[in-house]
Amino acid sequence: MPVAPLLPFIILVLITFVHTKRRDIKFIRKIFPDFWKAIIIIESSLMYLLFILSNIHYELEISIVIFYIALLIILIIPVNVNFKPTLRFQFIPTILFEWKSFFRRYSLFILPGILILSLSAYHQSTLIFTGIFVLDIIAAVYEDLENKEMFEEYFSVMSLTRKIRYNLYFFNCVLFPINVVFLSFNMNAVEYLIGYNVVMNLYLCQIITRKYKVYTHKNQTNGINFILKIQYCVYSIMILPAIITIITNLKDSKKTINRYVDNQKSQSYL
C-alpha cells in the first residue's frame, strides 16, 4: 500500500486545487449566508477523510492530523483572491493556446501540481487515484471556446488532426516525469503505466474532438458536464468505444469547421 506520510499530503494538494477552481462559492454564500464556510469545511473534510479511510491498511499517524489542520487553514483563505501569475510559459507555442492559457491562469499551481502528480506515481493505487484529477484537468483545459475570429483564423492554416497531434505530444511530455517515477518504483507493474497512458490519451482525444463538434461562437464554454466526463472515462478504459467516439466526433467537427472556414481552405487542412 502507499507510504502513509505521503498519501495525506497528496490528497491535501489535490483537494486544495479543486477548491481553488470552485465556482459555486457565491451561490453557497447566498443560500447559507451565516454558515457557508462551515459547509465548505465539512464538504472538504469529508473528501479528505473518505480518501484516507478508503485505505483499510492505513494506520493513524500524526501526519494525518497535521495535513488536516493545513487543509482547514487553506479553506479559510478566500478563493476569490487574485494572485498575479509569476510565470508566462512563453516556451509553449501558440498552437497549444489552451494549455498556455491554462498554465498561465494557474501558474502558481502548475509546477507544484506536476511535482505532486509525479510523486503520486510511486505506487499503482496513488497513480490511478491522482489520474482521476488529471482527467478533470484535461476537461478544464479545453472547456473554453475561442471567439469566431480566432477560430476562423486558426483553422484556416491548421488542421484539426494536426492540432490533436501537437496536443498529444505536449500532454505526453507533461506525463513524462510521472512515467519515470512510476518505472523507478514499479518496474514489475508496467501494465498499470501502459493502461494509464492509453486512458489519458484516448480521453484527451475525445475531449478535443467534442469541443469542435459542439463549437458555436455564441457560447463561451463547451458545456461539458460531470456525467459526460464519466462516460468518456469509461469509454477510454474500454478503448474501442473511445476510438469510435473519436472518429465520429472528427467527422462532426469537420462539418462544424467547414461552416466557419472557407471550404477550400478547410478541406485542404482537415
Side-chain angles (χ1 to χ4, degrees):
M1 296 301 293
V3 179
L6 189 56
L7 183 59
F9 175 66
I10 294 173
I11 295 174
L12 168 66
V13 174
L14 293 174
I15 292 179
T16 300
F17 179 75
V18 172
H19 178 65
T20 59
K21 290 175 57 183
R22 295 187 64 148
R23 298 181 180 179
D24 60 344
I25 300 296
K26 292 183 179 180
F27 174 78
I28 296 176
R29 293 182 66 173
K30 182 178 180 180
I31 302 299
F32 308 100
D34 297 327
F35 49 91
W36 63 274
K37 285 188 177 181
I39 293 177
I40 294 175
I41 291 174
I42 293 173
E43 182 182 75
S44 299
S45 298
L46 289 175
M47 290 175 60
Y48 179 83
L49 296 176
L50 176 64
F51 290 131
I52 292 295
L53 296 176
S54 63
N55 188 342
I56 60 176
H57 301 292
Y58 207 99
E59 297 179 358
L60 183 62
E61 291 194 1
I62 188 64
S63 60
I64 299 177
V65 179
I66 293 175
F67 288 121
Y68 178 66
I69 293 174
L71 175 63
L72 295 180
I73 295 174
I74 291 171
L75 293 174
I76 296 175
I77 300 176
V79 296
N80 59 349
V81 174
N82 293 321
F83 296 98
K84 185 177 180 179
T86 56
L87 298 174
R88 304 303 298 171
F89 297 99
Q90 297 290 356
F91 65 91
I92 302 178
T94 306
I95 189 176
L96 302 170
F97 63 88
E98 290 103 338
W99 286 102
K100 192 170 189 175
S101 174
F102 186 83
F103 273 37
R104 285 180 172 179
R105 192 183 315 162
Y106 299 103
S107 62
L108 295 177
F109 300 97
I110 291 301
L111 295 181
I114 293 176
L115 176 61
I116 291 300
L117 292 175
S118 300
L119 291 176
S120 70
Y122 75 101
H123 193 275
Q124 300 96 303
S125 60
T126 50
L127 175 74
I128 297 173
F129 170 72
T130 54
I132 298 174
F133 290 85
V134 175
L135 295 178
D136 186 60
I137 291 173
I138 294 173
V141 168
Y142 299 98
E143 183 177 8
D144 294 333
L145 300 178
E146 50 267 40
N147 59 46
K148 183 179 179 181
E149 292 73 20
M150 180 178 179
F151 182 89
E152 293 175 346
E153 181 180 357
Y154 187 88
F155 284 109
S156 65
V157 296
M158 177 66 60
S159 70
L160 180 57
T161 53
R162 186 182 173 196
K163 174 185 175 68
I164 294 173
R165 186 165 64 250
Y166 280 123
N167 276 263
L168 286 174
Y169 290 158
F170 179 80
F171 179 61
N172 283 280
C173 287
V174 175
L175 294 182
F176 180 74
I178 299 176
N179 293 327
V180 172
V181 173
F182 184 87
L183 290 175
S184 300
F185 290 92
N186 305 277
M187 186 61 71
N188 297 327
V190 68
E191 65 274 8
Y192 283 89
L193 188 61
I194 294 175
Y196 177 89
N197 283 278
V198 169
V199 169
M200 292 296 168
N201 281 269
L202 288 175
Y203 186 84
L204 182 140
C205 289
Q206 290 180 94
I207 293 295
I208 295 179
T209 53
R210 181 193 175 274
K211 173 183 177 179
Y212 294 109
K213 171 186 175 181
V214 302
Y215 176 86
T216 172
H217 67 280
K218 298 179 181 179
N219 296 335
Q220 294 183 338
T221 64
N222 60 26
I224 192 168
N225 54 47
F226 178 76
I227 296 178
L228 193 56
K229 292 177 185 178
I230 295 297
Q231 178 182 329
Y232 280 178
C233 177
V234 174
Y235 283 0
S236 299
I237 295 173
M238 298 174 65
I239 299 180
L240 183 58
I243 295 175
I244 295 174
T245 301
I246 293 169
I247 294 174
T248 303
N249 285 352
L250 273 173
K251 293 179 180 178
D252 293 335
S253 297
K254 180 176 181 179
K255 296 177 182 178
T256 301
I257 295 173
N258 280 337
R259 288 201 301 267
Y260 286 90
V261 185
D262 179 76
N263 285 336
Q264 293 182 351
K265 291 182 179 180
S266 61
Q267 286 173 5
S268 343
Y269 289 99
L270 281 165

